[in-house]
Amino acid sequence: MFELRKLPYDTGAFGDFLSAETFSYHHGKHHNTYVTNLNNLIQNTDFAGKDLVSIIKGSSGGLFNNAAQVYNHDFYFDCISPKACEPNAQLKDALEKAFGSLENFKAEFIKGATGVFGSGWFWLVMDAKSQKLEFAATSNAATPITENKIPLLVVDVWEHAYYVDHRNARPVYLEKFYAHINWDFVGKAYEWALKEGVNSITFYANELHPIS
């Protein structure tokens, strides 16, 4: 059985970025519903007892949607922090190489996330073969791990992620999101991606959802 992951911070500590009320709905209700649905859908199937990434890569329809949304939300909640921080030297160099400068990375990230039509996600990923950093936009529950793209950073642009605090002002939400990126987590994700490739995806998911 999968369980709703615990958040590693005080949900009232994000100032005017995200309120405790938003976390109550986003994590406590939306994220929890995906976990509950996933557990119900895998009962008495070949997916019972399998790890989260295997379910995502081997399923379709409603099962895929709920399993992928568990993973996507897990990753999103690790990508934000109440405390501001900066990319480490290794990640900073990689971002500057891929996007020209940190300023250009920020501009392109916010532009790309603003342009996601409807509900979805905007990611910074590493291509497993080339090890190049690139952006990926996904709709609804879609996730780049199905294409062997290794997530490093993601922002949730479903309106339930920000509507309580910012109504439909997605660009305002994205500016505040950028100021609260957990660069320590992103840096570790990049380090593990370089070392372990696509195996780092399963390692991350299994840390949160160990299979006994």
Side-chain angles (χ1 to χ4, degrees):
M1 296 288 285
F2 292 93
E3 295 183 1
L4 179 66
R5 58 88 43 88
K6 294 181 179 179
L7 298 181
Y9 36 67
D10 177 2
T11 59
F14 284 82
D16 64 354
F17 168 42
L18 294 174
S19 62
E21 182 182 6
T22 286
F23 282 104
S24 176
Y25 280 102
H26 196 185
H27 176 254
K29 290 184 171 58
H30 287 279
H31 195 179
N32 190 50
T33 296
Y34 296 127
V35 175
T36 300
N37 289 345
L38 173 60
N39 286 325
N40 290 336
L41 288 167
I42 62 175
Q43 283 186 13
N44 303 315
T45 73
D46 292 341
F47 291 103
K50 288 192 175 182
D51 66 276
L52 182 61
V53 172
S54 294
I55 295 172
I56 293 169
K57 291 188 174 184
S59 64
S60 61
L63 177 54
F64 169 82
N65 288 337
N66 284 278
Q69 285 290 70
V70 171
Y71 173 87
N72 292 350
H73 281 86
D74 284 340
F75 207 85
Y76 167 75
F77 286 125
D78 276 328
C79 284
I80 57 177
S81 170
K83 297 180 180 179
C85 56
E86 299 292 334
N88 62 32
Q90 181 185 42
L91 179 60
K92 181 174 180 289
D93 289 346
L95 292 172
E96 290 176 340
K97 180 179 180 180
F99 302 101
S101 67
L102 289 180
E103 292 77 13
N104 192 56
F105 168 78
K106 176 184 178 181
E108 291 298 316
F109 182 85
I110 291 177
K111 178 182 177 181
T114 301
V116 174
F117 181 77
S119 300
W121 307 82
F122 195 74
W123 309 75
L124 171 69
V125 299
M126 189 184 87
D127 181 88
K129 290 185 178 180
S130 67
Q131 294 192 336
K132 290 183 178 179
L133 301 188
E134 57 192 52
F135 292 132
T138 60
S139 298
N140 300 318
T143 177
I145 70 173
T146 58
E147 299 179 1
N148 287 331
K149 305 290 187 178
I150 305 168
L152 305 179
L153 170 67
V154 69
V155 60
D156 186 344
V157 290
W158 286 63
E159 279 199 349
H160 67 235
Y162 58 90
Y163 194 83
V164 169
D165 300 311
H166 305 293
R167 295 301 185 259
N168 63 340
R170 184 186 291 183
V172 175
Y173 160 70
L174 291 171
E175 281 285 348
K176 294 182 183 298
F177 170 87
Y178 197 89
H180 285 274
I181 290 175
N182 184 356
W183 288 111
D184 292 339
F185 173 76
V186 180
K188 289 176 183 176
Y190 180 53
E191 179 183 348
W192 278 103
L194 291 173
K195 289 181 179 179
E196 303 294 337
V198 292
N199 291 332
S200 65
I201 299 170
T202 299
F203 179 83
Y204 167 78
N206 288 353
E207 282 280 284
L208 290 174
H209 305 286
I211 301 299
S212 55

